[in-house]
Amino acid sequence: MVDSELTKLRRARARVHANLRKLEPLIASYYAKAADLEARIQALAPELNLPPRRYAPNPVFARGELPRLAMSILRAAGKPLSTREVAVRALAAKGVTLPDRRTLKVTRLRLQNTFSAWQKRGLTVRVGSGREGKRGLAQDLGPGIGQFLIKS
């Protein structure tokens, strides 16, 4: 009896999943080996700066686009905004009006890293603490805002 096309595809799918199940422990062991090697290199030469792994590009934002967009959003707002608000506005500007949880989280985390770097350079400040914390441009906040700043 000849197998139907659907049966062939289902069997192929089962084989792929079986192969993935076999390879996942191998991948985990490679991650562990890489971490061990990097720790051993850092122990021998702590001044050596190892380049980070190359990750897949962001599907929504081009390289450097998110920081530029975040800066323009903060300038246009004229007041401190939460990182989540900036992320939602940046995604909306790119046409993503209803982002899924992962896209919003990745965007929010990238913005947090950007804002932390900008704060070290004196471009932004954090107003408030915890979940109520907001980020604003340092020059827009003006005098008298120092009492609300969090030192980090």
Side-chain angles (χ1 to χ4, degrees), residues 16-32:
V16 167
H17 281 283
N19 286 334
L20 284 173
R21 254 191 316 278
K22 288 180 199 173
L23 292 175
E24 284 170 350
L26 181 65
I27 291 171
S29 71
Y30 276 120
Y31 276 119

Side-chain angles (χ1 to χ4, degrees), residues 33-141:
K33 285 178 186 177
D36 179 55
L37 288 171
E38 288 176 3
R40 289 169 56 192
I41 290 171
Q42 288 297 318
L44 291 175
E47 71 280 353
L48 185 63
N49 187 12
L50 297 174
R53 279 189 58 216
R54 296 288 178 207
Y55 293 99
N58 190 317
V60 179
F61 299 101
R63 180 183 212 115
E65 184 178 17
L66 183 58
R68 285 191 302 268
L69 200 53
M71 186 63 79
S72 66
I73 289 169
L74 287 176
R75 283 188 187 123
K79 63 177 184 173
L81 297 173
S82 70
T83 306
R84 187 179 193 286
E85 289 174 311
V86 176
V88 168
R89 290 183 186 189
L91 287 167
K94 290 295 290 181
V96 182
T97 54
L98 296 172
D100 60 343
R101 289 178 67 175
R102 184 182 183 284
T103 302
L104 185 58
K105 183 176 181 178
V106 167
T107 304
R108 190 176 48 78
L109 290 175
R110 286 188 180 207
L111 282 172
Q112 284 176 347
N113 293 335
T114 300
F115 289 150
S116 293
W118 285 349
Q119 185 171 348
K120 289 176 185 173
R121 290 175 42 202
L123 295 174
T124 62
V125 291
R126 183 178 171 106
V127 178
S129 63
R131 291 181 146 264
E132 288 78 34
K134 297 180 186 286
R135 299 287 183 153
L137 295 177
Q139 66 271 18
D140 290 345
L141 297 176

